[in-house]
């Protein structure tokens, strides 16, 4: 069973979020980049678990320039067998989906995993778009996956609960918490990653219909109003009369 | 022309996030002169509330499997064609997340998810969305003729437009089924699901152990709130995963977020700083969460929370 895992580069979760060029560009100054946590902890590790159980190959794919290579190597260190980088700017999700769908079709992948969203753009779009472009079923926000032969049993989060689905044959899913547990790469993995293949390929067509015009930071909070712990109950009245939220 | 809104429903009622998406579309339609057509899967009681929030038509797809994104996309794209719609609105909830991106690829059009405001058409077409898990806001432009907007729950609000929607059944063919639903597990039936909740009571490691959550639940019940927790609390299994809020959990923007025994780490704040009012209860006056708070109580949760419960009870009795 060969599995394709989509990985994206995102700023470390503790990064200071700031913008340059009149609010049009993310300020990368001093920012540490990581594999998007949902892609790494859930999608990639689940793919590795499946491979360990039933054999096959795990390929990671990322769309971006050479600055993505460190996070691709990290994914190889965690355990992916090989990597592909489509050498193009990730202008929007549809463009990225077209690149990945083209690669998947050409190389006959019919199990494709993504994280539920990136922590920088919070789009949550890639998996559904790829599914449409390659003509496979799509399950969003999946928290469990079992494969027996061609039969996949997938649990996904729904409003106020979860549902268990069955799909016969290939599928695309976006992985959420519960799917797998984060794996920390060991020294052997890190050494091995250096010699695993990372194929850089040119983009193949594709178009974008969206672009970020500018960024802004949320308005600063007013001063915090302190209530004495002894009279904590006063809060309830304030929430009603002053904050007007209850 | 009309704006098509895809909404999901449970037990014959459109969920709150769906009604909010209809209301949003109706507000856009007010300036553009369009009408609003809602589409849903399965049948509803009457118009399911679609009319009150501004839809003039409601189309139900009785033969469509709501979990099969391909079937849903077949229906929604057929309705878009029938209605000559160029704008499609959905909620950025779990069903919207499964359908909207597939629809965007089918229509080869621009999509923005996690939208937080009405479109700006003064020069081109732009909308605002949350990015960096709530640490920033981006203004995104869509250049295609057709546009899909997936609204972040609780970012527009609900107000009535008045009226009822004319209900009709979709007569098209859903297409081959590729997904079978084996089981549906509903966790909370009488509590508003976290992403839609307006009031949230959340607790962290400061609660010491799962056995102490009784008071958190009691406070939530008194306020009519939904419970949430910090990540370590769900990681150690004190609380279920679906309660985990923050950068790697659920991002929420309720009207009120009460954080009890949570330090306010940057990854936690990322998922909750869109809340309209934040209350922080913490023994440590230096806890970073106080910087993001509207109201703060420096004190021991085990002493403060029972006082809040008593006050909430008294408040409920007199209102
Ligand atoms: C990549 C990454 C992603 C992450 N994503 C998330 C996320 O999505 N959500 C999230 O929550 N965290 C996330 N974290 C973890 C985050 O960094 C913090 O570790 C976590 O939020 C801390 O949880 P806490 O506040 O419950 O616990 P602690 O940090 O241990 O804080 C407990 C607080 O309780 C207070 N306290 C103790 N006793 C009492 C008492 N009796 N009464 C009142 N207060 C008391 C303490 O003063 C302290 O402030 C992430 C971390 C990483 C590295």
């Amino acid at each position: 069973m060969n599995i394709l895992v989509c990985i994206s580069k995102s700023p470390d979760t503790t990064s200071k979020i700031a913008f340059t060029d009149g609010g049009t560009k993310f300020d990368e100054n001093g920012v540490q980049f990581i594999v998007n946590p949902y892609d790494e902890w859930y999608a990639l590790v689940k793919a590795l678990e499946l491979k360990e159980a039933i054999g096959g190959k795990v390929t990671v794919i990322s769309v971006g320039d050479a600055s993505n290579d460190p996070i691709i190597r990290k994914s190889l260190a965690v355990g992916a067998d090989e990597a592909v980088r489509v050498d193009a700017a990730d202008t929007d999700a549809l463009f990225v989906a077209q690149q990945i769908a083209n690669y998947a079709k050409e190389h006959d992948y019919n199990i494709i995993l993504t994280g539920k969203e990136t922590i920088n753009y919070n789009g949550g779009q890639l998996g559904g778009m790829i599914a449409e472009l390659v003509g496979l079923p799509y399950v969003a926000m999946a928290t469990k996956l079992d494969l027996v032969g061609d039969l996949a049993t997938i649990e996904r989060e729904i409003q106020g609960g979860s549902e268990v689905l069955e799909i016969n044959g290939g599928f695309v899913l976006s992985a959420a918490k519960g799917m797998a547990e984060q794996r920390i790469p060991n020294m052997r993995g890190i050494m091995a990653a250096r010699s695993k293949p990372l194929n850089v390929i040119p983009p193949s067509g594709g178009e974008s219909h969206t672009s970020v015009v500018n960024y802004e930071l949320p308005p600063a909070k007013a001063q915090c109003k302190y209530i004495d712990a002894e009279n904590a109950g006063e809060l309830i009245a304030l929430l009603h009369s002053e904050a007007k939220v209850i | 022309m009309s704006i098509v809104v895809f909404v999901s429903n449970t037990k014959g009622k459109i969920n709150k996030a769906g009604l909010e998406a209809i209301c949003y579309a109706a507000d856009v339609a007010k300036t553009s002169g369009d009408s609003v057509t809602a589409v849903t899967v399965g049948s509803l009681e009457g118009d399911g509330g679609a009319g009150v929030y501004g839809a003039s038509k409601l189309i139900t797809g009785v033969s469509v499997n709501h979990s099969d994104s391909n079937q849903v996309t077949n229906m929604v794209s057929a309705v878009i064609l029938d209605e000559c719609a160029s704008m499609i609105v959905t909620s950025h909830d779990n069903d919207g997340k499964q359908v909207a991106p597939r629809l965007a690829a089918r229509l080869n059009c621009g999509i923005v998810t996690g939208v937080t405001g009405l479109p700006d058409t003064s020069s081109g077409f732009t909308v605002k969305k949350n990015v960096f898990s709530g640490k920033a806001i981006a203004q995104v432009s869509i250049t295609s003729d057709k546009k899909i907007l997936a609204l972040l729950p609780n970012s527009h609000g609900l107000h009535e437009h008045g009226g009822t929607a004319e209900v009709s059944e979709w007569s098209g063919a859903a297409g081959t089924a590729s997904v079978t639903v084996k089981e549906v597990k509903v966790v909370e039936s009488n509590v508003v699901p976290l992403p839609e909740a307006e009031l949230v009571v959340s607790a962290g490691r400061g609660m010491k152990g799962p056995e102490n959550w009784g008071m958190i639940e009691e406070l939530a019940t008194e306020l009519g709130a939904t419970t949430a927790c910090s990540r370590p609390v769900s990681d150690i299994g004190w609380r279920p995963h679906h309660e985990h809020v923050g950068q790697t959990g659920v991002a929420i923007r309720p009207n009120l977020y009460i954080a009890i025994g949570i330090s306010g780490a940057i990854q936690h704040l990322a998922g909750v700083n869109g809340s309209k009012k934040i209350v922080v209860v913490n023994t440590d006056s230096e806890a970073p969460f106080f910087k993001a708070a509207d109201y703060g109580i420096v004190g021991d949760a085990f002493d403060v929370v029972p006082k809040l419960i008593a006050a909430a009870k008294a408040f409920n009795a007199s209102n």
Side-chain angles (χ1 to χ4, degrees), chain A residues 13 120-123 132 136 140 156 159 162-164 166 177 209 211 213-214 216 221 225 227 242, chain B residues 67 93-94 98 102 106 113 129 132-133 137 139 141 180 182-183 185 234-235 267 294-296:
Chain A
T13 55
N120 41 347
Y121 191 69
N122 305 112
E132 174 65 18
L136 287 174
R156 74 178 275 256
Q159 281 90 302
S162 64
E163 64 181 6
V164 182
E166 268 183 12
K177 187 171 182 179
H209 302 296
S211 58
V213 180
N214 68 355
E216 59 189 81
K221 272 273 172 187
K225 185 166 184 168
I227 297 144
E242 191 179 85
Chain B
S67 300
D93 59 14
N94 291 359
Q98 189 157 271
R102 172 155 226 145
R106 173 94 41 109
T113 56
K129 86 173 288 296
F132 296 100
S133 307
I137 300 144
Q139 193 180 359
S141 130
T180 327
K182 295 311 264 187
E183 192 187 346
K185 306 178 189 171
S234 79
D235 279 355
Q267 299 95 348
D294 297 281
Y295 297 96

Side-chain angles (χ1 to χ4, degrees), chain B residues 254-269:
Chain B
N255 293 342
L256 173 64
Y257 183 75
I258 303 185
I260 302 164
I262 303 177
S263 56
I266 187 163
Q267 299 95 348
H268 185 89
L269 292 178

Side-chain angles (χ1 to χ4, degrees), chain B residues 205 208 230-231 244-248 261 263 267-268 282 300-301:
Chain B
R205 222 153 38 183
K208 314 276 194 282
S230 68
R231 176 173 157 213
H244 160 196
V245 293
Q247 183 148 19
T248 50
S263 56
Q267 299 95 348
H268 185 89
N282 200 304
D300 189 331

